C-alpha cells in the first residue's frame, strides 16, 4: 500500500473513532440547531497536540492524532 493512501486511511479511521469516542468534533449543531459538518473544528482538533500539552497525557493518547499517526507510520515502515 502506498504511504499516502495509508495516511489517508489512518486519518479517516481516526476521525471516525474520535467522533464516536469524544463526539462533537466533526459533526456539530449549527446556529439553526441542525447537525452540520465542521471541517475547521476537525482540523483544529487534529493539530491541537502540537500546541497543547493536555492531549499528551497517557490516558488520552488514543485520541491524540499526532501520536496515532506517528505510531501508524512506524508500523508501516517497520512491520
Amino acid at each position: 500500500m502506498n504511504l499516502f493512501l495509508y495516511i489517508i486511511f489512518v486519518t479517516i479511521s481516526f476521525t471516525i473513532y474520535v467522533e464516536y469516542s469524544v463526539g462533537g468534533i466533526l459533526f456539530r449543531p449549527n446556529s439553526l440547531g441542525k447537525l452540520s459538518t465542521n471541517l475547521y473544528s476537525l482540523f483544529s482538533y487534529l493539530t491541537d497536540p502540537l500546541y497543547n500539552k493536555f492531549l499528551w497525557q497517557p490516558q488520552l493518547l488514543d485520541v491524540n492524532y499526532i501520536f496515532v499517526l506517528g505510531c501508524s507510520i512506524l508500523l508501516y515502515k517497520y512491520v
Side-chain angles (χ1 to χ4, degrees):
M1 179 184 281
N2 185 344
L3 180 60
F4 181 71
L5 292 176
Y6 180 72
I7 290 173
I8 290 174
F9 174 75
V10 168
T11 302
I12 291 171
S13 300
F14 179 80
T15 302
I16 292 168
Y17 174 74
V18 166
E19 192 62 36
Y20 173 75
S21 176
V22 177
I25 303 297
L26 179 61
F27 300 108
R28 291 183 164 199
N30 62 13
S31 60
L32 300 175
K34 295 186 179 191
L35 206 56
S36 64
T37 305
N38 191 338
L39 293 177
Y40 178 75
S41 174
L42 175 64
F43 180 74
S44 260
Y45 184 81
L46 295 179
T47 59
D48 191 46
L50 296 172
Y51 308 105
N52 190 355
K53 293 180 183 178
F54 180 73
L55 288 174
W56 289 102
Q57 295 178 11
Q59 64 269 25
L60 295 175
L61 288 177
D62 65 326
V63 292
N64 181 331
Y65 177 68
I66 304 300
F67 179 79
V68 170
L69 185 62
C71 290
S72 299
I73 290 173
L74 286 175
L75 282 173
Y76 179 83
K77 291 288 186 183
Y78 297 110
V79 173

